[in-house]
Amino acid sequence: MRRHGRRMKALLGGCLALLMVGCGLAPQVAVRLHALASVKTQAVNGRSTPFMWGVSTAGYQYEGQENKSQWAQWDAALKTEERRGNADDGYALYAEDMDLAKGMGCNAYRTSIEWARIEPEEGQFDQAAIEHYRSVLTAMRARGLTPVVTLMHFAYPAWLDRYGGWQSAKAVDAYAQYVDRVTREFGGLIDWYLTFNEPGVFISSGWLLGNYPPGHQHDLIGASLVLKNLLAAHVKAYGIIHRNDPVAYVSSNQACADFTFGSDAVKADGMPAASSDPTSSDAFLEGVLAKRHGRSAQGLAMPFLDYIAIDYYTRLNLSLPLNLPPDWGWPVYPQGFYDELVKYHQRTGLPVLVAENGMATMDGDPRADGWTREAYIAAHVEQMQRAIQDGVPVLGYMHWSITDNYEWGSYHPRFGLFSVDCRHNDQRRVPTPAVDVYRSIIASGGVTREVASRVTYPAGYEPLVHP
Ligand code: BGC
């Protein structure tokens, strides 16, 4: 139950103040789409980069056994619905999953480096963990998978909590030291960095809802401190990463959703009001954008974002009383993905990476609304193609997730292209029908008539591409 409102509330903060009627976008009618094959590269920072087709995962949810993070301690204190246990055993089985990604035709792979493994005790860096991640990154490179690396995906070393965790400015310096070490170690292996995964969700879940550690509810003072420190840490990390690895691209991925109030015709846009609410999904991005014309001590431009990354899953209706859907009931609304791609590009002027996009089922059961994972992927990739056709420079698409994994407190929501029965520690990777569809999308450079012929959409859904 506690999990149900997570994303909705996480995204909610700044948007109640604003109503935007319509958004001037074309109605969802069948249009001719250019396959992405014609958009094989995009430019970022003046350099050309291949379009990235990938999958996305995160250490804490995937790797299993680790007891040094604040999340592991939260779990050990029985604050979650289910224990995490060994998750996907990804710490051991990562190469197998990279083979699966490669087998789908992916050329990119997003995962996180876990700070709590790299620095399990304050100031003590674990060389074995460093070598482990070197092997992970080398294994990606060997398979032609471009690493996209999140430096903090919600979990951090529990020792930081002795100082007040992210409420303390100590976190800024500690994170900077960790980033300095990681980028000195792995600079040659990583080009794409994400400093923080969904800062808005991190803050709202930990300091508004209390369903993530540290479990504070309605703590706006705490949330403001965390926001301030995350922003300072991001700015510092940006400088450190570019100093250690001048060719890197740095960003932070933002959770977004398509919001409505009541009727579908009334859209809400949470962006401008965000800065007044530290728990809103956009407060972090607002903060970074406000600093973007800074300069380094050497006078170099410091935009603090080289690209913008978004995570899009759903449409949320904010009518009161709020009726919060569980993850496996998040409404599927592909058109909103187009809208968000356009919006984030227009707002930042930057190329956009889709760091996450995916759909949950409840324990792998068919969804009541008839959406399957393969239909979800096809419907969203179509909208991405439409955005590209309309001029949004999209850098890549990372599907969440390669495997079912630990969904921050429970194994019920399943997002995997490959099913894994983590709950019973059965580590077999079982392909879902979405695997073949994703493979053919990648091979065709997008949804084509041939791809569309393999997909059954829920009754009443009108796709952009017909067989
Ligand atoms: C997070 C993932 C999570 C996914 C599905 C995002 O909030 O980055 O960790 O599993 O969405 O809820």
Side-chain angles (χ1 to χ4, degrees), residues 126-157:
D126 182 334
Q127 198 57 37
I130 290 172
E131 294 316 320
H132 168 81
Y133 285 115
R134 197 185 313 284
S135 304
V136 169
L137 295 165
T138 306
M140 280 187 210
R141 291 281 188 187
R143 288 163 178 77
L145 299 166
T146 297
V148 178
V149 173
T150 319
L151 294 169
M152 196 186 101
H153 196 120
F154 295 157
Y156 61 80

Side-chain angles (χ1 to χ4, degrees), residues 200-239:
V201 171
F202 178 74
I203 296 175
S204 58
S205 301
W207 284 266
L208 176 69
L209 299 177
N211 59 331
Y212 281 17
H216 296 192
Q217 290 182 334
H218 307 292
D219 177 4
L220 286 186
I221 292 174
S224 301
L225 290 169
V226 176
L227 175 62
K228 177 168 150 269
N229 290 327
L230 287 176
L231 280 168
H234 173 87
V235 162
K236 257 195 163 172
Y238 183 91

Side-chain angles (χ1 to χ4, degrees), residues 3 6-7 61 153 197-198 313 356 400 407-408:
R3 169 92 179 93
R6 179 178 73 81
R7 182 177 306 274
Q61 299 175 265
H153 196 120
N197 178 70
E198 299 187 347
Y313 288 85
E356 293 180 26
W400 184 274
E407 186 54 30
W408 306 109

Side-chain angles (χ1 to χ4, degrees), residues 43-378:
V44 55
N45 284 1
R47 283 179 283 150
S48 178
T49 177
F51 189 88
M52 291 183 275
W53 287 106
V55 288
S56 197
T57 191
Y60 186 80
Q61 299 175 265
Y62 164 77
E63 290 175 346
Q65 314 284 344
E66 164 281 309
N67 58 11
K68 294 291 187 178
S69 67
Q70 101 284 19
W71 255 100
Q73 302 212 348
W74 178 259
D75 182 30
L78 305 180
K79 300 238 174 109
T80 59
E81 184 184 337
E82 277 181 282
R83 305 292 309 273
R84 175 188 52 156
N86 205 23
D88 292 280
D89 200 14
Y91 203 73
L93 301 178
Y94 64 88
E96 184 180 316
D97 292 331
M98 289 175 197
D99 286 339
L100 296 177
K102 185 75 196 153
M104 288 186 289
C106 292
N107 63 352
Y109 196 101
R110 175 180 172 230
T111 190
S112 64
I113 287 178
E114 289 302 295
W115 181 7
R117 291 190 193 265
I118 298 273
E119 192 183 0
E121 303 300 336
E122 184 179 1
Q124 294 177 20
F125 290 86
D126 182 334
Q127 198 57 37
I130 290 172
E131 294 316 320
H132 168 81
Y133 285 115
R134 197 185 313 284
S135 304
V136 169
L137 295 165
T138 306
M140 280 187 210
R141 291 281 188 187
R143 288 163 178 77
L145 299 166
T146 297
V148 178
V149 173
T150 319
L151 294 169
M152 196 186 101
H153 196 120
F154 295 157
Y156 61 80
W159 57 258
L160 195 58
D161 282 340
R162 288 203 295 274
Y163 300 93
W166 276 97
Q167 284 180 231
S168 157
K170 167 87 182 172
V172 178
D173 291 333
Y175 180 76
Q177 278 175 32
Y178 155 68
V179 171
D180 183 46
R181 181 66 184 256
V182 165
T183 49
R184 278 190 290 113
E185 294 281 354
F186 306 133
L189 291 167
I190 306 172
D191 291 339
W192 298 89
Y193 290 94
L194 294 161
T195 53
F196 296 108
N197 178 70
E198 299 187 347
V201 171
F202 178 74
I203 296 175
S204 58
S205 301
W207 284 266
L208 176 69
L209 299 177
N211 59 331
Y212 281 17
H216 296 192
Q217 290 182 334
H218 307 292
D219 177 4
L220 286 186
I221 292 174
S224 301
L225 290 169
V226 176
L227 175 62
K228 177 168 150 269
N229 290 327
L230 287 176
L231 280 168
H234 173 87
V235 162
K236 257 195 163 172
Y238 183 91
I240 292 168
I241 297 169
H242 279 289
R243 188 189 65 212
N244 292 345
D245 184 1
V247 294
Y249 306 107
V250 183
S251 192
S252 157
N253 53 313
Q254 310 304 306
C256 60
D258 185 278
F259 292 113
T260 54
F261 285 103
S263 130
D264 281 2
V266 184
K267 289 181 70 91
D269 187 334
M271 292 171 179
S275 46
S276 57
D277 179 353
T279 65
S280 101
S281 62
D282 274 329
F284 179 86
L285 181 57
E286 280 292 305
V288 176
L289 291 178
K291 295 176 192 287
R292 74 191 302 194
H293 298 299
R295 300 222 155 246
S296 71
Q298 294 73 35
L300 298 172
M302 296 287 270
F304 302 119
L305 289 175
D306 299 317
Y307 62 102
I308 186 67
I310 64 168
D311 301 349
Y312 178 84
Y313 288 85
T314 187
R315 148 176 274 199
L316 295 171
N317 193 312
L318 304 179
S319 304
L320 295 172
L322 284 176
N323 185 14
L324 309 182
D327 308 44
W328 51 87
W330 287 347
V332 174
Y333 186 63
Q335 157 102 24
F337 187 36
Y338 171 90
D339 296 351
E340 295 301 305
L341 285 164
V342 171
K343 205 156 65 180
Y344 275 82
H345 170 58
Q346 285 180 346
R347 182 179 186 205
T348 61
L350 294 169
V352 189
L353 176 71
V354 180
E356 293 180 26
N357 174 242
M359 186 196 85
T361 60
M362 161 70 172
D363 284 330
D365 292 344
R367 284 175 57 116
D369 59 11
W371 278 96
T372 59
R373 193 172 315 290
E374 54 275 23
Y376 181 98
I377 295 177

